[in-house]
Structures are given as structure tokens and as C-alpha cells.
Amino acid sequence: MTDHLIEINSLNKMYDSGGTGVAAIDHMDFYIDDGEFVSVTGPSGSGKSTLLSVMGGMNRPTRGQVQVDSLDLYALTPEQRADFRSEYLGFIFQSFQLIPYLTLLENVTVPMAITGRKKKEKRDMAMAVIDRVGLADKALRLPDQLSGGEQERVAIARAIVNRPPIILADEPTGNLDSRTALEIMALLQELNREGHTVIMVTHNREMERHATRSVRVRDGRIETLDTDWCTK
Amino acid sequence: MKLYNISFKNIRRRKAKMLFLALGLIIGISTIVTLLAITETMTVEIEERLDQFGANIVMVPRTEALSLNYGGIDVGGVNYEVREFDQADIPKIRTIKNAKNLGVVAPKVLGAADIGAKQVLLMGVIFDQELALKTWWQKHGAFPETADQVLLGSTAASVLGLAPGDPMETGGRAFQVSGVLMPTGGAEDHAVIADITAAQAVLGKPGKVSLVEIAAFCRGCPITELTLQIAEKFPDARVTAMKQAVMSKMQSIELFKSFSLGVSVLVVGVGALLVMVTMMGSVNERTREIGIFRAIGFRQTHVMQIILLEALVLGIFGGMAGVALGNIAAWGITPLVVDAGGFAGVNFRTGGICLLMAAALSLLASLYPAVKAGRMDPSDALRAL
Ligand SMILES: Nc1ncnc2c1ncn2[C@@H]1O[C@H](COP(=O)(O)OP(=O)(O)O)[C@@H](O)[C@H]1O
Ligand SMILES: [Mg+2]
């Protein structure tokens, strides 16, 4: 019954804000298949980031279930969820989130600090993805010596270095000029064509067209479904 | 790239920040090291002063007779005529194993002497030794400087009606009273105190010694050990330790030591609190970074490892800096507090212990912040963007 990569069932997430509960996710039901590039768009405060963190196993929902590859995420222990993230997910955060005291190369190598590979192998893998995002000549710079677009590329390189099947991106173009944003979208499309399932969250409807499917959310609910969208 | 690389890179690339984090430790450890170094020098000085504070071992010839004296009151009979030591044997005392723990050795000869119509206790002493032992003696006049001068106990002086400067005759020898002791409450109040050789001649006991008072101080080894060693050399002697005197010496030193220990514990406590607060602040500042690590798939224990390793390195670094600074401070301060001695030199054992303590302290104080960092909800951490 669960041959979808990601399944979300009757999802609800309440936040406690000054005594009154706020439903960041009111009710959501959907699934994502292997190989999709899904864009989730909606106005600010509609619950997009919350949805992404719940899907990433980092934010326990109030009700409902998230299954990835038939794993019920919130039935796992926190340490098992950490292992799940290491194995399945590559996060691309809003405003890059690089470690300031590590060089570009080191930042990209961080996800491999907890995987058992040889030093040289780790370095080669890191250099390969850095080369891939076109920053090989700047590998030894610290983040504050890079432009915004370059930092975004480093963040993408870091997200894909462990070759995760799923890439979760929160406003990946939020802090970039439109030309750089287009380059980043092209990169994400390319990664999608290479087999990564991409889920991108953004308030910018412009970006929808780069995805293979779009979902619109408002007030914690799914608003419209794309033509080939089907609910269960 | 391994987890420890992340810790090391953080420390290497943010030196100023790390120095700030280690500050609590550096201050704490250097204070303790300074305190310990000064205490050590002071303890030695106190011991030296206490050593001059009277005898604590008495050696008398073995005798079958019981003492007829209690609290300074004789109940009849004179019990002086027993056996005696040969004065020539006395230096043997200094051949015992713990000879270096011996201070003053004061032999004396005792006997009854006639002065005019009265019989008095004549005590022959080596004045240099005796005065070194009885530092509390106070007198009118002067202490004897030649063999024909005598010192009178206060009661003896009033009974004999003699004052400093008066002539005195006993056993066919002429003496001069050089001084009179103020009342001490001790046996000497009733005695005429003369040079040992002169007294031996008057008493007809040439080369004899009736009693030896010894001032010994034994740091770390029990005083009974010393008395046994002396008794071994003098099989005919009864060697008695006056434990009370030693105990009170020990107590003064222990009191001082526990005081400095108390201060050290206080300093360590404050230092630990400081480390914990700074570590806590550092963890809070790194909320975002920790969120990233967790999102990437680091376990709670991975995050804790990074933070604890940093704490360990900081502890070792802070400890080394603290030990170095503490020794420098002790070198500067010791001569100001202790008038006799200067800085005793770097104590590597104390240094080593302090270093270990700093590392342990830093780890311990960082444990709670590290656990808190590990438990941090990654989505909350990333929301704090
Ligand atoms: N940790 C939180 N605590 C309280 N309220 C939160 C928290 N996270 C998000 N919210 C609230 O939930 C709603 C959805 O937020 P979010 O998921 O960040 O939306 P979006 O990413 O679409 O802007 C908002 O009203 C926001 O204020
Ligand atoms: Mg958002």
C-alpha cells in the first residue's frame, strides 16, 4: 500500500503561542513519489517551513504520520531519526547556514564526519561536488569570503555530498538576485534529473515552473492540486 | 574530516573567543596554584617557629623508683640520686635514622647543693641549648655568659635573698648571680641554674648528665617513631614523648592547611560556575550551528562529543596557563607574605594535579551545556535564524 517515497497522513501541527494554540499545519494529506521535483508555494506564515521540518524528522507533529520509504519517522527514537536524516536527506536551508569557522571544503565534508569512509575518499567526494557546483578554485575559503550565490552553491554541495535520495530546500532562492536564483534552480533541476527527489518550499510562485509538480498551501491547508495530483 | 576536526578547527580559528572561555579556568587554577605555593612556604616557616617552642621528648635514666613529685609539689624524699648518662654519649642521639628531624638537644645535670644553710636544686645546663629551647624565659639582669655566673629561679632567688649582681658560693666555688628568672610555673622556679661543667664539679658528678630534653619535629612521621629510635641507642634510658606538645604543633599546621584547602575549594567552585556559565553562553550562541549539525544527521551524542572535546582542550590549555601564571604570581607574592623564605620553586606535582583538575573541571562544567546542546530541538535551533 505504501509504494510512495513519502506519505503524509492527516498531518496537524499546533504551536503554543502565548497560551493559544496556532495550527501551523491544519490538515494535510499527500504523497510524493520517487523522482519528483515538488514545489510547495504559499504566502509567508502558511506553514511551509513547518511542513519541511516535519517531513525532515526534526519536528514532531501534533497528529498524523510521516512515512518515508515505509519508515514511520516519529515512531523512531531521536537518534534513529538522526541516522535517517544522515542517510536519506540533504537539507538546503534558507540563508545558507554554513559553519562560519570551516572552509568551503570543510563545510562540504561535515556530513561525512559521521560516516565511515577513508580520509582521502571523503576529500575526493567533497571535491567532486564542489567541482560540480563550480567552486573548485575557492575550496579553501571561509564562508564570509564568498558571495551569496556562492554560499548557496556550497549549501547545495553539502546537501548532496552523501548522495541522499531526498533533497529538502527551504526558500533556496530567497536571498538571491533573480539571475543567480535561476542558476540555482537549473542546478536543482539537474540534480532531480540525476535521480534525487527534490522538495522545494518557497513563497515565490515564479519558481513553480521549474518543478515537475506544484502544491499550494494557505493557512496550513493544501489549496490546489496540480492536474496530475491525486488524493487518497 | 572527523568530529574532532570540527572541535579543533573551531578552537584554532576562534582564538580570542576560546581565550575568553578559558578565562574562568585560568583565573581559578592560577589562584589555587599561588595559594598552594604560598601555603607550602608558610607551613615550613610555621614548623620552624613551632620547633623552637620547647622540648617534646625527654630522656631520663631508667629507674625503678616512682616519682614523688606531682604538680611541682614534692611529697618527701629526694629522688635525684639514681643513675646518670655519660655526657660523652649524648652526641649518639644525633646518629638515629631520623636525625634530621632533631632540633635542640639540651642535656642537664641535677642535684642538691648547699648554699649557706639552705639546700637547693642545682641544675647544670648548656646555656646556648637551654635558651634556644626555653624561648619563653624572661629575666631580670642578664643570662650567664661565663662559667662562674648563675641564673636563679624566682622562688630560689627570694628564698636565698639574692639579686642580680650578688655573689654566691656553693661547693667551695664562687659564683655571681647574673640574672633572676621571672616566675615560669615550671621546675626552674626553684632551681639555681649554672653552667653544666661547673654544676658537675659542685655536685661531684663530673661528665654526668641526669636528663636530656630534646626538641624534635617530624613532618609526616610519628613522634613515637623518633622516641623508639633514640631508645634503641640508649638501652638504659626511658625516652618519653610529650605527645601533647606535638599534637598542638600539628594542629596549628593542620588548621592552616585546612584553611587554605577551604579557600581552594571555594575558588574551584567559583571557577567551575564561571566555566559552566561561559560554556552555556557559548552553546546558546551556537544554537544555529548545532541545529545545522542535527539537520545534517548528527546524533545528540555527536554534538556532545564536539562540545566536550572542546571543553577538554580548553581545560588542558586553561590549566597549563593557570599553573604557569600561578607560579609566576607565587614567585612575586611569597617574599611579601613570608618574611623568612622566598618562593620555593615550581612544584611539578601540584602543577600536574592542577592540570588534571582543570581538565576534569572543564569537562564536568560542560556536561550540562553539552547535554542541553544535544537535546536541542533542531527545528527550534533552525528557527532562530
Ligand atoms: N516554533 C514555533 N513556535 C510558535 N509558532 C511557530 C513556530 N514555528 C512557526 N510558527 C508559526 O506557525 C506558522 C507557520 O510558520 P512557518 O511554517 O514558518 O511558515 P512559512 O514557512 O510558510 O512562512 C506561523 O504563524 C508561525 O508564526
Ligand atoms: Mg518559512
Side-chain angles (χ1 to χ4, degrees):
Chain A
M1 45 164 215
T2 60
D3 38 358
H4 306 296
L5 182 60
I6 302 175
E7 272 206 42
I8 289 185
N9 297 317
S10 317
L11 200 65
N12 171 286
K13 175 70 190 181
M14 305 284 286
Y15 283 120
D16 216 22
S17 87
T20 55
V22 174
I25 297 173
D26 195 4
H27 184 95
M28 286 190 192
D29 261 313
F30 66 96
Y31 59 81
I32 292 168
D33 279 325
D34 195 8
E36 284 194 283
F37 182 163
V38 179
S39 84
V40 178
T41 55
S44 180
S46 54
K48 307 180 297 293
S49 293
T50 303
L51 176 64
L52 210 65
S53 66
V54 171
M55 283 180 17
M58 300 203 296
N59 198 353
R60 179 176 289 280
T62 311
R63 280 191 299 277
Q65 253 190 341
V66 180
Q67 286 195 21
V68 179
D69 209 9
S70 302
L71 273 175
D72 183 352
L73 283 195
Y74 293 93
L76 303 176
T77 66
E79 299 295 64
Q80 286 172 328
R81 277 201 295 282
D83 293 349
F84 156 80
R85 286 194 291 274
S86 172
E87 201 179 324
Y88 279 84
L89 302 183
F91 271 100
I92 300 167
F93 308 99
Q94 195 167 358
S95 63
F96 331 131
Q97 304 302 339
L98 302 179
I99 310 286
Y101 54 84
L102 297 181
T103 63
L104 190 165
L105 175 60
E106 288 159 356
N107 260 288
V108 174
T109 322
V110 163
M112 292 188 287
I114 52 168
T115 61
R117 285 186 215 279
K118 295 224 171 55
K119 196 175 166 186
K120 180 161 186 316
E121 199 183 345
K122 288 178 183 180
R123 208 193 131 85
D124 290 346
M125 284 173 73
M127 277 317 291
V129 286
I130 290 169
D131 199 28
R132 170 83 201 269
V133 298
L135 290 171
D137 54 329
K138 294 174 178 166
L140 297 181
R141 291 199 191 181
L142 288 170
D144 60 8
Q145 298 165 327
L146 298 173
S147 73
E150 285 167 341
Q151 289 189 45
E152 184 70 38
R153 288 166 187 278
V154 180
I156 293 174
R158 182 178 63 187
I160 62 175
V161 74
N162 270 343
R163 299 180 188 145
I166 302 167
I167 295 171
L168 299 178
D170 193 350
E171 308 276 5
T173 57
N175 296 321
L176 301 177
D177 61 79
S178 53
R179 199 165 66 88
T180 318
L182 283 180
E183 283 169 24
I184 296 296
M185 292 317 296
L187 189 54
L188 286 178
Q189 280 180 312
E190 220 178 289
L191 291 170
N192 176 241
R193 278 196 291 273
E194 284 166 20
H196 295 280
T197 300
V198 180
I199 297 144
M200 175 185 70
V201 147
T202 173
H203 66 277
N204 186 354
R205 286 244 188 117
E206 288 279 292
M207 298 300 158
E208 272 182 353
R209 61 192 163 89
H210 304 282
T212 58
R213 174 153 72 95
S214 29
V215 176
R216 289 185 187 170
V217 292
R218 180 179 292 275
D219 299 333
R221 283 175 168 275
I222 290 167
E223 208 181 28
T224 53
L225 300 175
D226 210 41
T227 42
D228 58 345
W229 176 265
C230 37
T231 43
K232 294 168 289 170
Chain B
M1 166 87 51
K2 288 263 173 60
L3 287 177
Y4 63 80
N5 292 120
I6 298 175
S7 303
F8 290 160
K9 299 240 150 82
N10 185 23
I11 290 171
R12 262 208 359 242
R13 302 217 172 111
R14 299 206 289 201
K15 290 200 181 75
K17 174 106 200 130
M18 293 298 149
L19 191 70
F20 173 74
L21 282 180
L23 214 57
L25 272 176
I26 296 176
I27 292 172
I29 295 295
S30 60
T31 309
I32 292 167
V33 169
T34 311
L35 214 63
L36 286 180
I38 294 177
T39 311
E40 201 169 275
T41 319
M42 279 175 102
T43 309
V44 170
E45 208 197 39
I46 290 179
E47 277 172 6
E48 273 165 13
R49 279 193 198 162
L50 286 176
D51 279 355
Q52 300 162 2
F53 211 69
N56 48 36
I57 297 177
V58 177
M59 181 169 93
V60 294
R62 200 180 283 284
T63 168
E64 262 67 66
L66 289 170
S67 171
L68 300 177
N69 175 302
Y70 186 86
I73 296 175
D74 274 310
V75 294
V78 181
N79 220 348
Y80 305 133
E81 274 74 39
V82 209
R83 273 182 271 166
E84 268 121 8
F85 301 113
D86 280 322
Q87 193 173 352
D89 289 338
I90 302 305
K92 275 200 325 206
I93 292 177
R94 297 217 182 261
T95 63
I96 63 166
K97 191 163 137 263
N98 281 51
K100 63 177 182 342
N101 296 112
L102 295 174
V104 176
V105 174
K108 45 195 61 94
V109 65
L110 295 170
D114 295 313
I115 297 173
K118 299 200 169 82
Q119 215 185 27
V120 295
L121 171 64
L122 179 64
M123 184 163 105
V125 303
I126 300 170
F127 275 103
D128 287 345
Q129 315 276 2
E130 200 65 22
L131 294 176
L133 208 56
K134 311 283 166 73
T135 47
W136 61 91
W137 276 5
Q138 288 183 313
K139 82 285 178 189
H140 298 293
F143 289 126
E145 269 159 20
T146 60
D148 57 2
Q149 290 184 322
V150 293
L151 184 66
L152 300 187
S154 62
T155 315
S158 66
V159 169
L160 295 172
L162 293 174
D166 290 348
M168 192 199 86
E169 199 250 67
T170 181
R173 284 180 68 134
F175 292 93
Q176 193 207 15
V177 178
S178 71
V180 174
L181 283 177
M182 310 258 232
T184 63
E188 57 268 13
D189 281 354
H190 299 269
V192 172
I193 306 159
D195 173 72
I196 192 163
T197 320
Q200 282 165 343
V202 169
L203 296 171
K205 298 178 179 177
K208 295 291 178 190
V209 168
S210 321
L211 175 139
V212 185
E213 286 184 292
I214 301 160
F217 192 79
C218 193
R219 186 131 95 107
C221 87
I223 196 82
T224 23
E225 177 70 18
L226 278 176
T227 63
L228 286 177
Q229 290 179 8
I230 296 172
E232 217 168 84
K233 301 274 176 189
F234 294 86
D236 288 333
R238 197 155 54 84
V239 185
T240 319
M242 293 157 79
K243 285 233 177 70
Q244 232 165 325
V246 182
M247 292 307 263
S248 62
K249 279 185 197 184
M250 284 298 204
Q251 267 169 3
S252 321
I253 291 172
E254 289 311 317
L255 204 69
F256 183 64
K257 280 188 175 161
S258 40
F259 165 75
S260 65
L261 190 73
V263 174
S264 297
V265 167
L266 203 77
V267 171
V268 171
V270 171
L273 216 67
L274 217 66
V275 174
M276 191 150 132
V277 169
T278 43
M279 269 292 171
M280 208 66 222
S282 158
V283 164
N284 283 337
E285 233 171 73
R286 292 169 74 181
T287 299
R288 214 180 70 150
E289 197 182 310
I290 292 164
I292 299 167
F293 287 140
R294 299 282 282 127
I296 281 172
F298 281 28
R299 294 180 177 192
Q300 296 181 3
T301 49
H302 292 140
V303 172
M304 283 174 65
Q305 273 176 50
I306 293 174
I307 291 183
L308 289 178
L309 185 61
E310 282 176 21
L312 183 67
V313 174
L314 278 186
I316 292 171
F317 164 76
M320 287 198 305
V323 169
L325 277 177
N327 274 302
I328 292 171
W331 172 76
I333 295 172
T334 312
L336 305 179
V337 213
V338 186
D339 24 80
F343 176 51
V346 178
N347 185 332
F348 286 97
R349 216 183 70 126
T350 315
I353 291 173
C354 284
L355 194 66
L356 283 182
M357 204 168 72
L361 202 73
S362 179
L363 273 182
L364 216 69
S366 307
L367 209 56
Y368 174 67
V371 168
K372 198 182 159 223
R375 292 253 173 87
M376 212 177 264
D377 190 341
S379 70
D380 271 356
L382 289 170
R383 241 178 80 81
L385 311 179

